[in-house]
Amino acid sequence: MKRPHYVTDKALKQFIKSALEEDIQSGDHSTLSTIPKELVQSAKLLVKEDCILAGVELAEIIFKTFDKDLKVEVFIKDGENAKVGDVAFIVTGSARSILSTERLVLNCMQRMSGIATLTHEWDSRLLGTKTKLLDTRKTTPNFRICEKWAVAIGGGTNHRYGLYDMIMLKDNHIDYNGSITNAVKMTQEYLKKNKLKLKVEVETRTLAEVEEAAKLAGKGIDRIMLDNMDLKTMTEAVKIIAGKCETEASGGISRDQLNEIARTGVTYISAGALTHSAENIDLSLKAIK
C-alpha cells in the first residue's frame, strides 16, 4: 500500500537512526563476541498469532538502513491477513546484521500489527455506514510515525498528525478564551496574519456549545467535535449542525458503540484506544538452520 504523506524517507531515517543508537550504542557485544564477521545466514519472520500484519515495509527499510546487502523476500505484505505459523518474510545476509536489527524490527512489527489488527476490527463495525474511523494524538512519544502508519494499514483514517497541521480548539482553549466565538475569532486573525491555511476543528460539550459552533460552521469552523455525548444528545447535535460542516464523535468510545454512533450521522468517530490500548501481536525472527 502507498505510504501516508508523513512517512517520508527523512522521517524514517531519523526514527531508525535514533532507535538503533538507543539499542546498540558502543556495539552489540553479544553478537560481536560470538558471530564471525563473514558468516552469512537467513532468518524467517514467524507469525504466532492471527493478525493484520503491519510493519513489513518498515522492517525492510530497517534492515537495508543497517546493512544495504541484506536481502528480504516478502511473502505477506502490510495490511494482509496472517495466520499462526505463516512466514511473513525471509531475510538473508550477514548474521551479525540480522541479529543486531532483530529486536528493533520485532518491536516495531509487533506493535504495528497489534494496532492494525485492532483498527481493522473496529473499522469492520462501520461497514454499511458513511462514517470513518479516526485515530488521535494519543500515541507513544517518538513512535507516532509507526502507530499512525499502522492505523492506516489497518483501514483507519489518520486524524491530524501533530499540533502543526490542523487547529483543534479543545475545552481548555475555549475556556481560556471565554467562548467558542472568541477562540474562533482569534484563530482566524492568527491564520490571516501568518498566511496559514489550516482546517479548524472545535470541541463542543453541550448542545448550547453546538448551537454556538454551528453558527460559525463553514465560516471559520471546518469540523465540530461532539465530545462525550450520549446517543440522544449526539443525534440532536448532528441535526443542529445540519451538514454545514464535518462532525466528529469523540470521548470514551468503545467498539460496541461504533455502529450506533455512526447511525447518528456523524462524519467521523475518533478513538484513542486504537493506539493506546492495542495489544502487541506475537511475532518472532527465527534462524533458518
Side-chain angles (χ1 to χ4, degrees), residues 87-155:
V87 173
F89 61 72
I90 292 176
V91 57
T92 301
S94 164
R96 283 187 172 185
S97 296
I98 292 171
L99 289 169
S100 293
T101 51
E102 173 186 1
R103 180 45 54 194
L104 176 56
V105 165
L106 287 174
N107 284 349
C108 291
M109 288 196 66
Q110 288 175 324
R111 182 80 185 128
M112 290 178 71
S113 296
I115 291 170
T117 301
L118 183 62
T119 300
H120 178 77
E121 181 185 341
W122 280 49
D123 194 52
S124 66
R125 301 192 180 212
L126 295 177
L127 291 176
T129 74
K130 295 181 180 180
T131 304
K132 292 183 179 181
L133 181 65
L134 294 177
D135 56 16
T136 70
R137 283 174 49 247
K138 294 178 182 177
T139 54
T140 308
N142 297 320
F143 200 62
R144 180 175 299 176
I145 188 171
C146 298
E147 293 180 339
K148 280 189 168 279
W149 191 1
V151 168
I153 289 170

Side-chain angles (χ1 to χ4, degrees), residues 26-40:
S26 65
D28 173 7
H29 301 302
S30 304
T31 295
L32 293 173
S33 64
T34 58
I35 305 299
K37 183 178 181 180
E38 66 280 0
L39 182 64
V40 173

Side-chain angles (χ1 to χ4, degrees), residues 5-262:
H5 68 89
Y6 51 83
V7 185
T8 63
D9 290 340
K10 180 181 179 181
L12 289 175
K13 182 178 180 180
Q14 181 179 353
F15 165 71
I16 294 169
K17 180 176 183 292
S18 176
L20 288 172
E21 285 180 351
E22 176 186 57
D23 200 26
I24 297 176
Q25 295 197 31
S26 65
D28 173 7
H29 301 302
S30 304
T31 295
L32 293 173
S33 64
T34 58
I35 305 299
K37 183 178 181 180
E38 66 280 0
L39 182 64
V40 173
Q41 290 287 2
S42 295
K44 60 185 178 181
L45 194 289
L46 184 63
V47 178
K48 301 170 80 173
E49 277 185 79
D50 293 353
C51 66
I52 299 296
L53 199 65
V56 177
E57 183 180 356
L58 177 59
E60 290 185 84
I61 296 169
I62 291 170
F63 286 134
K64 292 287 187 180
T65 298
F66 189 82
D67 182 348
K68 62 181 177 59
D69 293 323
L70 288 176
K71 308 295 183 185
V72 183
E73 185 178 7
V74 175
F75 306 112
I76 305 174
K77 297 178 181 179
D78 284 327
E80 293 183 344
N81 283 292
K83 302 293 184 183
V84 174
D86 284 348
V87 173
F89 61 72
I90 292 176
V91 57
T92 301
S94 164
R96 283 187 172 185
S97 296
I98 292 171
L99 289 169
S100 293
T101 51
E102 173 186 1
R103 180 45 54 194
L104 176 56
V105 165
L106 287 174
N107 284 349
C108 291
M109 288 196 66
Q110 288 175 324
R111 182 80 185 128
M112 290 178 71
S113 296
I115 291 170
T117 301
L118 183 62
T119 300
H120 178 77
E121 181 185 341
W122 280 49
D123 194 52
S124 66
R125 301 192 180 212
L126 295 177
L127 291 176
T129 74
K130 295 181 180 180
T131 304
K132 292 183 179 181
L133 181 65
L134 294 177
D135 56 16
T136 70
R137 283 174 49 247
K138 294 178 182 177
T139 54
T140 308
N142 297 320
F143 200 62
R144 180 175 299 176
I145 188 171
C146 298
E147 293 180 339
K148 280 189 168 279
W149 191 1
V151 168
I153 289 170
T157 300
N158 293 136
H159 209 312
R160 59 176 177 164
Y161 187 74
L163 293 171
Y164 66 91
D165 59 348
M166 182 180 185
I167 287 181
M168 184 186 291
L169 304 177
K170 294 180 70 65
D171 52 357
N172 287 337
H173 297 97
I174 294 163
D175 290 343
Y176 284 159
N177 272 275
S179 71
I180 289 173
T181 303
N182 288 343
V184 172
K185 181 176 181 293
M186 290 186 69
T187 297
Q188 292 306 310
E189 290 172 353
Y190 173 85
L191 291 174
K192 184 177 180 180
K193 178 181 177 180
N194 291 280
K195 298 179 181 179
L196 295 171
K197 291 185 178 180
L198 297 174
K199 286 194 171 184
V200 177
E201 178 170 5
V202 171
E203 178 180 308
T204 59
R205 297 160 286 188
T206 65
L207 289 179
E209 287 188 339
V210 171
E211 289 173 352
E212 182 182 1
K215 293 175 183 177
L216 298 170
K219 303 173 184 177
I221 295 179
D222 300 289
R223 185 185 304 172
I224 296 174
M225 178 190 289
L226 312 176
D227 189 52
N228 283 297
M229 294 184 184
D230 58 33
L231 288 171
K232 182 180 178 181
T233 305
M234 197 180 298
T235 301
E236 184 61 29
V238 172
K239 288 180 181 177
I240 292 169
I241 297 165
K244 295 174 185 175
C245 69
E246 296 176 337
T247 52
E248 175 187 331
S250 184
I253 306 292
S254 71
R255 76 185 76 188
D256 293 334
Q257 298 173 305
L258 289 170
N259 197 265
E260 283 185 313
I261 292 173

